[in-house]
């Protein structure tokens, strides 16, 4: 049973309601989680608010918070296997992938521990004698964190680590589909020395447990990773109380392949770009833009290799990727593919559920390649968030730049070519938050992550990822005060 965590204590929902957590690989129940009511969320917000106001966390030194973050990283290292197992059960991802995620989570805590230990107040040169002017970096306050189901703990860590480093207190609501590892993390934080009230966990649906985090007057900032439609609702709700908002809303990411690219590397990475974690990745390279002269050779090979991808459960050591998160999500992907075909896309791989008997109870879908697409088609513009690649062709550099920017999103993209000048020219003109040249997917905690346009705003990771959780306060101190003589005080 996964309970709520409020002010250092495990609690049941005040309604007594619970929710079954389903294993995507076979549909079995792996956990049961409490379903918070509005009143439970209110309690969690009050706990975070009181902790922020009274301290000690919000008033501790950077050095202290840095040492606690380092300890969190050590504890996660110790408990890596149990976290990875829980993540695999909730998400259906391979155990090894869940372990890679844990390595990344640990790096994120280490990075923000280091970053906050180096941060000092900034002296400002005001060109005035006897004045000291300083910028102080203070915590934003109580933050509401809402996370999705594809990388549950990793996405939580991108928010929790900088929030703690800054001295904020928080209430987190993980996806109702994947709450296990975020819940485990609450105990890790306590063990590492985070005081009661600083970290609070509510569980349940977005509408009931999530929405107060974007509307409650005692929340100072809301950070959300999820879908565009929900992101718009959160931004609208946050405007009532003028909260700070950070949004990461996915993307429809172009993977551009020029004819002079290293073919083997580009083909192999085109598969990883889109089919990693069965396409349930915000930066998935789901939109292949391939130069016309190499189209047939390139795309036939991508389709051939897509058909060879082995699906399976976290325990299946032969599997290369897993199931989709839920039956509902698979239904959505199936509709997306059917619609693409009706728009004129040519199905050249996948487009169906697997036929193997051992996969029948899971929410599996074959890696799918749709050729003959163009940027007017809905399948090119909308995120499927499944294992679906659309293919378009181009003939010139200018044309491919225009095509790659012809999207409401702007999260990530890649350029494949041996011509480094061309690669840089294209990268400079793409309106996306991350551009890989002759690579796809790597990211590091030291580098900012986030989107242009409707992929959201604000950055996670890097120095800007810490700045999201801080207010800059200017303190001006006059060391030799005297009259300003603006008003002369004389009677007329
Ligand atoms: O996301 P939601 P869903 C995209 C992807 C996917 C689509 C929908 O295209 O198909 O979004 O997925 C909480 N107030 N991404 O429905 O609803 C919800 O409980 C506050 C991209 O799963 O956005 C969960 O915790 N919170 C993405 C979180 O929002 C609310 C990752 C995300 O769920 C809420 C996932 C509300 N009114 C999906 N409604 C990425 N950027 O990586 C829901 N939630």
């Amino acid at each position: 049973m996964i309970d709520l965590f409020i002010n250092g204590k495990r609690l049941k929902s005040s309604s007594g309601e619970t929710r079954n957590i389903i294993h995507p690989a076979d549909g079995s129940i792996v956990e049961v989680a409490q379903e918070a009511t509005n009143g439970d969320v209110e309690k969690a917000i009050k706990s975070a608010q009181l902790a922020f106001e009274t301290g000690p966390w919000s008033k501790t030194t950077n050095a202290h918070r840095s040492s606690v973050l380092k300890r969190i990283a050590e504890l996660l290292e110790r408990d890596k296997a149990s976290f990875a197992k829980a993540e695999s059960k909730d998400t259906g991802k391979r155990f090894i992938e869940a372990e890679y995620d844990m390595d990344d989570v640990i790096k994120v805590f280490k990075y923000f521990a280091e970053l906050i230990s180096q941060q000092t107040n900034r002296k400002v040169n005001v060109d005035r004698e006897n004045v000291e002017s300083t910028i102080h970096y203070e915590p934003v306050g109580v933050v509401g964190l809402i996370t999705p189901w594809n990388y549950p703990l990793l996405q939580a860590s991108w928010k929790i680590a900088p929030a703690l480093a800054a001295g904020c207190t928080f209430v987190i609501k993980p996806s109702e589909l994947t709450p296990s590892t975020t819940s485990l993390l609450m105990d890790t934080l306590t063990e590492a020395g985070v005081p009661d009230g600083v970290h609070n966990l509510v569980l349940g649906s977005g509408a009931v447990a999530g929405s107060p985090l974007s509307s409650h007057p005692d929340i100072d900032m809301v950070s959300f990773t999820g879908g565009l439609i929900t992101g718009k609702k959160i931004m609208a709700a946050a405007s009532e109380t003028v909260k700070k908002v950070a949004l990461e809303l996915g993307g429809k990411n172009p993977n551009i392949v020029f004819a002079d690219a290293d073919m083997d590397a580009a083909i192999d990475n085109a598969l990883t770009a889109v089919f990693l974690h069965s396409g349930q990745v915000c930066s998935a390279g789901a939109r292949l833009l391939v130069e016309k002269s190499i189209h047939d050779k390139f795309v036939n090979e991508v389709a051939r290799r897509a058909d060879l991808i082995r699906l399976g459960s976290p325990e299946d050591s032969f599997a290369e990727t897993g199931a989709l998160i839920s039956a509902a999500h698979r239904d959505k992907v199936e509709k997306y593919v059917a619609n693409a075909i009706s728009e004129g896309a040519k199905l050249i791989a996948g487009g169906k559920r697997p036929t193997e008997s051992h996969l029948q109870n899971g929410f599996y879908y074959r890696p799918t390649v749709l050729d003959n697409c163009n940027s007017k088609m809905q399948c090119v513009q909308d995120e499927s968030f499944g294992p679906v690649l659309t293919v378009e062709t181009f003939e010139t550099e200018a044309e491919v730049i225009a095509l790659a920017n012809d999207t409401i999103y702007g999260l990530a993209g890649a350029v494949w070519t041996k011509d480094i000048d061309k690669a840089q020219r294209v990268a400079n003109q793409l309106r996306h938050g991350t551009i890989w040249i002759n690579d796809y997917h790597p990211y590091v905690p030291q580098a900012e992550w986030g989107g242009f346009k409707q992929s959201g705003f604000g950055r996670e990771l890097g120095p800007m990822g810490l700045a999201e959780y801080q207010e800059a306060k200017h303190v001006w101190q006059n060391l030799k005060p005297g009259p300003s003589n603006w008003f002369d005080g004389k009677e007329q």
Side-chain angles (χ1 to χ4, degrees):
M1 175 68 72
I2 306 175
D3 290 343
L4 314 177
F5 183 82
I6 300 175
N7 198 23
K9 291 189 185 59
R10 290 286 173 181
L11 296 176
K12 304 285 178 210
S13 160
S14 53
S15 69
E17 262 185 63
T18 58
R19 174 189 294 263
N20 293 336
I21 308 303
I22 306 297
H23 189 32
D26 61 12
S28 63
I29 298 172
V30 285
E31 258 300 354
V32 177
Q34 297 293 321
E35 188 82 358
T37 63
N38 252 284
D40 298 326
V41 182
E42 178 78 33
K43 222 186 273 174
I45 295 172
K46 284 284 163 224
S47 150
Q49 190 211 8
L50 196 68
F52 185 76
E53 279 176 7
T54 55
W57 186 254
S58 52
K59 298 169 177 42
T60 49
T61 61
N62 290 358
H64 174 75
R65 295 195 303 282
S66 170
S67 69
V68 174
L69 261 71
K70 278 190 193 133
R71 181 77 188 126
I72 295 168
E74 284 165 13
L75 296 174
L76 289 172
E77 189 76 60
R78 181 194 71 190
D79 298 337
K80 185 170 144 180
S82 49
F83 270 91
K85 201 163 171 206
E87 198 79 309
S88 278
K89 290 214 151 168
D90 280 8
T91 61
K93 70 174 65 176
R94 293 183 307 155
F95 184 64
I96 190 155
E97 285 185 44
E99 282 195 315
Y100 292 149
D101 291 355
M102 284 310 296
D103 291 338
D104 286 349
V105 169
I106 292 163
K107 281 186 200 149
V108 169
F109 278 98
K110 284 186 181 163
Y111 170 70
F112 283 106
E114 191 58 34
L115 192 64
I116 196 65
S117 74
Q118 290 163 3
Q119 194 175 54
T120 52
N121 292 343
R122 181 163 62 91
K123 287 258 178 262
V124 179
N125 182 358
V126 291
D127 257 349
R128 288 262 296 263
E129 274 183 28
N130 301 313
V131 167
E132 265 183 16
S133 164
T134 319
I135 305 297
H136 296 213
Y137 298 99
E138 299 192 353
V140 160
V142 180
V143 296
L145 311 176
I146 304 171
T147 48
W149 41 260
N150 51 340
Y151 288 87
L153 194 68
L154 186 59
Q155 273 148 340
S157 74
W158 289 16
K159 302 181 192 304
I160 289 175
L164 288 177
C168 294
T169 63
F170 69 83
V171 179
I172 188 164
K173 194 208 83 68
S175 166
E176 56 274 39
L177 305 176
T178 56
S180 299
T181 48
T182 309
S183 173
L184 288 173
L185 183 69
M186 295 302 114
D187 299 328
T188 307
L189 300 190
T190 304
E191 188 181 345
V194 178
D196 291 351
V198 172
H199 49 311
N200 301 277
L201 168 79
V202 294
L203 303 166
S205 74
V208 176
S211 66
L213 301 184
S214 60
S215 59
H216 197 288
D218 292 337
I219 297 270
D220 298 290
M221 167 182 170
V222 56
S223 175
F224 169 76
T225 302
L228 178 57
I229 295 169
T230 308
K232 287 181 185 175
K233 284 190 202 155
I234 285 173
M235 194 171 161
S239 73
E240 249 336 281
T241 46
V242 196
K243 289 186 202 325
K244 203 170 171 190
V245 179
L247 301 173
E248 203 270 62
L249 307 177
K252 186 73 191 192
N253 312 291
N255 185 19
I256 301 170
V257 183
F258 283 97
D260 65 352
D262 176 325
M263 280 304 116
D264 290 345
I267 289 168
D268 190 71
N269 280 278
L271 293 157
T272 324
V274 62
F275 298 130
L276 178 79
H277 194 19
S278 295
Q280 302 170 113
V281 182
C282 50
S283 51
R287 194 180 167 198
L288 179 64
L289 290 156
V290 59
E291 194 163 345
K292 202 167 180 180
S293 60
I294 57 162
H295 167 273
D296 292 0
K297 196 172 152 214
F298 193 92
V299 174
N300 289 342
E301 185 58 9
V302 167
R304 189 188 72 80
R305 294 264 315 262
D307 279 337
L308 297 176
I309 292 175
R310 297 187 298 276
L311 307 182
S313 73
E315 293 78 37
D316 180 346
S317 57
F318 272 122
E320 294 174 306
T321 190
L324 298 186
I325 189 68
S326 65
H329 187 51
R330 181 173 60 181
D331 288 349
K332 190 180 137 186
V333 172
E334 284 178 329
K335 280 200 193 101
Y336 172 100
V337 172
N339 187 50
I341 293 168
S342 74
E343 284 183 297
K346 186 174 160 204
L347 180 69
I348 57 168
K352 58 184 180 206
R353 300 180 184 191
T355 48
E356 294 94 319
S357 57
H358 69 285
L359 301 178
Q360 294 312 304
N361 292 332
F363 313 128
Y364 292 96
Y365 193 72
R366 285 295 319 162
T368 297
V369 181
L370 296 167
D371 198 5
N372 208 21
C373 297
N374 66 66
S375 65
K376 300 283 166 290
M377 292 161 77
Q378 219 181 330
C379 63
V380 170
Q381 293 298 333
D382 293 349
E383 201 179 33
S384 80
F385 223 62
V388 184
L389 180 68
T390 63
V391 183
E392 298 159 78
T393 55
F394 66 91
E395 287 179 277
T396 67
E397 196 178 312
E399 184 191 1
V400 78
I401 291 165
L403 284 174
N405 285 333
D406 182 8
T407 162
I408 59 166
Y409 293 105
L411 188 64
V415 188
W416 292 85
T417 170
K418 287 188 187 135
D419 178 342
I420 285 310
D421 292 337
K422 181 162 70 179
Q424 290 288 346
R425 274 197 311 274
V426 174
N428 288 344
Q429 290 178 79
L430 293 179
R431 299 201 62 222
H432 296 266
T434 294
I435 305 295
W436 292 287
I437 296 176
N438 296 329
D439 216 331
Y440 210 103
H441 279 317
Y443 81 95
V444 287
Q446 305 91 297
E448 277 78 0
W449 179 266
F452 286 32
K453 301 198 271 182
Q454 292 189 37
S455 286
F457 49 77
R459 288 293 179 271
E460 301 199 280
L461 306 178
M464 286 173 76
L466 174 62
E468 291 292 335
Y469 294 90
Q470 294 182 315
E471 297 280 12
K473 181 189 277 177
H474 180 197
V475 178
W476 171 288
Q477 185 175 8
N478 194 332
L479 302 171
K480 216 171 169 190
S484 72
N485 294 323
W486 188 274
F487 300 106
D488 63 16
K490 288 182 190 151
E491 297 200 4
Q492 296 296 322

